[in-house]
Amino acid sequence: MTDARAILAKLRDGDTPTEAELFWFAEGLATGAVSDAQAGAFAMAVCTRGLGPAGRVQLTRAMRESGQVLKWDLDGPVLDKHSTGGVGDCVSLVLAPALAACGAYVPMISGRGLGHTGGTLDKLEAIPGYRTQVSVEDLQDLVADIGCAIVGASGDIAPADKRLYAVRDVTGTVESIDLITASILSKKLAAGLEALVLDVKTGSGAFMADPADALALAQALVDTAQGAGCMTTALVTDMNQPLVPSAGNALEVIEVMEALTSGDLSTPLSRLTQALGGEVLALGGLAADAADGEGRIARALGSGEAAEVFGEMVAALGGPGDFTDRWRDRLPAARVMVDVHPGDAGHVGRIDTRALGEAVVHLGGGRLRQDDRIDLAVGLTDIARIGDRVDPQRPLARIHCASEEAARAVAAQVRGAFTLVNDAPGAPPLIHERIA
């Protein structure tokens, strides 16, 4: 008879539990049959001993099957994207409607801010009235009608992961590649996807700052997703500077709306959206290859079709019906704006992107505790990029905040995030590696 103690003893001794044992443990996490102490011991044992590639696939499948797995009957492929998180990374809000405009269906189950990184759901809640929590049935109806919906996970999706994630957060086991992989993919694959593209960040603002660690995670995610039956490609992308020159919830929605409505396809946000979209359109059979897929995404952005889909999604989820036309009037704005200037003139040689993300959190744009209320209007704009020249006329960034006191509290942190040099360095590549 299977029991938690026997499974934990196996892991302690360096053995991988069987598929049946991992399914039993995931079910126990979901139902409460596994205690908090046993869940913590499991997380620590996996973190220190590892599961190996086959065990990683089995744990992912077991956690996916611990709740509801969506089934679809649609006239196009069900596709999605996941990012490991960064600063100024608002690709999801641009990519989901662009994919839908190309004929895909996108049930994008997203999360909130984690540490110094922004959360997709928090950004969307800057749009007045937008509902991020819907039932599984409503999610399926929205995706079928509009082509995409960006919402939070319901309690029915991968409940084993929700339980294990909470335990990992307080047991020092967040960094395990096995547990990260199973956590990300169990939720994504429970959405019934046919194909997935992954954006694995590396650099000063990423959780995997070291490129070798990011590459290892990307490979583990691709191998595990494909082992669990979902066609997947990963791009290892740069987070040595914010993706867009803004960080903060409403401020990043402004960047999203500029990307959807301006027709400018040359910005880093637009270019990365095209690259990720091209990969997953090819996997889903809607493009001949990634290059063809990039062209299709570019046309959806340039023509305004993606913006139209985004507006339909916002209205269907409770936001303003005229958001794509009146977004400048609809988003919250901070009362105070303060520029941060460098001590000397020079070129930006390096950015501590994590420090910029932490500055936004300390302004109130993220959570220091789980129950903190977010100020959706605060953050940074006009963030200088690597290679830019800055001086008393060209600031490092502009702080948006509730008071002059709040600006003074983070100004030194923002200034300290930038290292200046005499000669302008080249910009880091937007995409470092592709894992297929």
Side-chain angles (χ1 to χ4, degrees), residues 63-431:
M63 289 169 58
R64 175 189 65 188
E65 299 293 332
S66 69
Q68 187 171 358
V69 179
L70 303 189
K71 307 293 183 186
W72 301 94
D73 182 17
L74 301 167
D75 59 2
V78 180
L79 311 178
D80 201 0
K81 162 261 180 190
H82 177 80
S83 170
T84 56
V87 179
D89 176 14
C90 44
V91 169
S92 292
L93 278 64
V94 183
L95 181 58
L99 289 172
C102 293
Y105 292 91
V106 188
M108 189 173 280
I109 296 173
S110 298
R112 299 196 177 277
L114 183 64
H116 67 283
T117 67
T120 296
L121 300 184
D122 299 323
K123 295 167 194 175
L124 285 168
E125 286 180 349
I127 300 172
Y130 192 102
R131 291 181 296 117
T132 57
Q133 295 302 135
V134 299
S135 68
V136 168
E137 294 73 22
D138 285 346
L139 170 62
Q140 290 183 297
D141 288 343
L142 287 164
V143 170
D145 291 344
I146 298 167
C148 68
I150 310 175
V151 296
S154 77
D156 298 326
I157 299 293
D161 173 67
K162 184 176 182 180
R163 177 97 185 283
L164 189 59
Y165 190 91
V167 170
R168 287 168 56 210
D169 196 37
V170 297
T171 55
T173 56
V174 170
E175 289 80 6
S176 163
I177 280 186
D178 289 337
L179 297 176
I180 291 170
T181 299
S183 177
I184 289 171
L185 293 178
S186 61
K187 295 190 289 287
K188 285 295 179 183
L189 301 186
L193 306 181
E194 295 173 49
L196 173 67
V197 65
L198 298 160
D199 182 1
V200 179
K201 301 292 187 186
T202 189
S204 64
F207 285 108
M208 295 291 182
D210 185 280
D213 292 339
L215 188 61
L217 176 59
Q219 191 69 63
L221 286 163
V222 169
D223 291 346
T224 303
Q226 299 202 149
C230 181
M231 295 181 294
T232 303
T233 296
L235 299 182
V236 178
T237 71
D238 191 71
M239 191 39 65
N240 284 301
Q241 57 186 338
L243 181 63
V244 298
S246 299
N249 296 295
L251 300 173
E252 289 183 50
V253 175
I254 291 172
E255 300 284 352
V256 167
M257 297 314 299
E258 292 284 3
L260 287 171
T261 60
S262 71
D264 184 356
L265 302 177
S266 66
T267 65
L269 172 59
S270 181
R271 286 162 45 215
L272 186 54
T273 299
Q274 292 167 56
L276 291 165
E279 294 285 350
V280 78
L281 285 179
L283 289 176
L286 290 175
D289 53 28
D292 177 43
E294 286 192 36
R296 292 172 186 268
I297 295 291
R299 287 191 290 276
L301 294 174
S303 68
E305 292 177 84
E308 184 177 341
V309 174
F310 187 82
E312 291 174 6
M313 179 186 74
V314 166
L317 283 162
D322 60 354
F323 187 72
T324 52
D325 296 322
R326 301 287 303 278
W327 55 270
R328 290 177 179 83
D329 303 327
R330 300 290 186 247
L331 292 168
R335 292 193 296 272
V336 174
M337 290 180 284
V338 176
D339 288 345
V340 178
H341 292 277
D344 297 299
H347 292 89
V348 177
R350 182 182 178 279
I351 301 174
D352 183 346
T353 309
R354 176 183 286 262
L356 294 180
E358 294 287 0
V360 174
V361 172
H362 284 278
L363 285 169
R367 297 176 182 83
L368 293 169
R369 300 187 312 174
Q370 188 174 4
D371 58 350
D372 280 349
R373 183 181 178 86
I374 285 181
D375 185 339
L376 297 166
V378 303
L380 306 172
T381 61
D382 304 283
I383 300 170
R385 300 186 68 77
I386 292 173
D388 285 354
R389 179 173 174 79
V390 291
D391 55 40
Q393 281 69 51
R394 172 41 170 118
L396 297 163
R398 174 171 290 177
I399 299 172
H400 295 242
C401 53
S403 66
E404 297 279 354
E405 182 182 5
R408 286 193 295 271
V410 301
Q413 183 176 358
V414 172
R415 188 176 293 110
F418 294 86
T419 300
L420 302 188
V421 295
N422 290 327
D423 298 321
L430 186 61
I431 298 171

